[in-house]
């Protein structure tokens, strides 16, 4: 069973973004972002943001990223999820944030495999994750319930082995 980790990562610097633990001051901004129509199409508002890392661009919070770790030795791996404000979509920030966190999970946390599971029809996210090196594994049928419509939707399971990290 995957165990959610507290945002214990140190500040992580990518080429474009910085990741750091979410603070109480970030909550209002993140609540607004997750309710943007372009974000809400893929994300339900979380109960809290405590287990996330803020994604910053030039000091401005533009989204959040989180990770989970499975620490059972026979199944050890980590998973990643991310959302960014719509006004910064298409600029490579999500790719940079995912790559930055993936490098930390591989190099510092010792994971040999990472997973990510976007909606199967979220082609923009899928392309972004592929740029980091994630590959499709299979479709997870009726994987997540769309909080706006109540309809079950498919997810795409993607994974990345440490040696494939770009």
């Amino acid at each position: 069973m995957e165990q959610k980790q507290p945002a214990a990562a140190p500040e992580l610097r990518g080429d474009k973004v910085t990741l750091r633990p979410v603070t109480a001051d970030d909550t209002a901004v993140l609540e607004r972002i997750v309710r943007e129509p372009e974000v809400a199409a893929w994300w339900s508002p979380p109960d809290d943001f405590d287990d996330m890392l803020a994604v910053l661009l030039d000091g401005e919070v533009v989204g959040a990223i989180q990770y989970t770790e499975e620490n059972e030795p026979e199944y050890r791996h980590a998973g990643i999820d991310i959302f960014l404000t719509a006004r910064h979509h298409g600029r490579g920030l999500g790719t940079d944030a995912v790559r930055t966190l993936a490098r930390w999970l591989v190099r510092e946390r010792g994971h040999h495999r990472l997973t990510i599971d976007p909606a199967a029809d979220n082609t923009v996210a899928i392309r972004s994750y592929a740029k980091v090196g994630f590959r499709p594994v299979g479709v997870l049928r009726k994987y997540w319930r769309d909080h706006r419509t109540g309809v079950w939707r498919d997810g795409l399971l993607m994974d990345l082995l440490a040696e494939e990290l770009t």
Side-chain angles (χ1 to χ4, degrees):
M1 170 125 197
E2 276 192 19
Q3 298 298 313
K4 192 169 264 214
Q5 290 294 105
E11 183 173 281
L12 305 173
R13 294 193 180 276
D15 293 333
K16 299 177 181 183
V17 300
T18 300
L19 311 179
R20 63 145 172 81
V22 167
T23 67
D25 293 338
D26 302 329
T27 301
V29 172
L30 293 174
E31 286 175 351
R32 279 194 303 275
I33 292 171
V34 81
R35 285 178 171 74
E36 293 174 4
E38 301 89 343
V39 178
W42 314 112
W43 269 80
S44 299
D47 293 332
D48 62 58
F49 298 95
D50 294 343
D51 293 328
M52 294 185 176
L53 300 170
V55 178
L56 288 84
L57 176 65
D58 299 325
E60 176 192 358
V61 175
V62 297
I65 191 168
Q66 66 184 5
Y67 67 96
T68 56
E69 294 183 291
E70 170 57 70
N71 289 312
E72 177 64 35
E74 293 178 7
Y75 301 98
R76 185 165 162 70
H77 71 280
I80 298 174
D81 285 303
I82 183 172
F83 66 85
L84 296 177
T85 182
R87 68 185 169 88
H88 287 297
H89 288 180
R91 298 179 54 192
L93 304 181
T95 301
D96 186 43
V98 169
R99 181 180 293 117
T100 300
L101 183 56
R103 286 179 177 156
W104 181 77
L105 289 166
V106 167
R107 295 174 182 166
E108 303 300 321
R109 300 293 295 162
H111 291 285
H112 76 287
R113 186 174 70 86
L114 306 175
T115 62
I116 201 160
D117 56 359
D121 56 345
N122 190 345
T123 56
V124 172
I126 293 165
R127 276 195 309 268
S128 174
Y129 306 149
K131 290 177 186 175
V132 178
F134 283 88
R135 297 180 183 179
V137 174
V139 173
L140 303 161
R141 299 177 307 145
K142 294 188 177 185
Y143 178 62
W144 63 283
R145 180 172 279 162
D146 187 322
H147 69 99
R148 300 161 309 143
T149 64
V151 173
W152 286 99
R153 296 177 61 187
D154 294 347
L156 178 66
L157 179 61
M158 301 177 78
D159 74 0
L160 168 73
L161 300 180
E163 59 268 21
E164 298 166 344
L165 184 58
T166 60

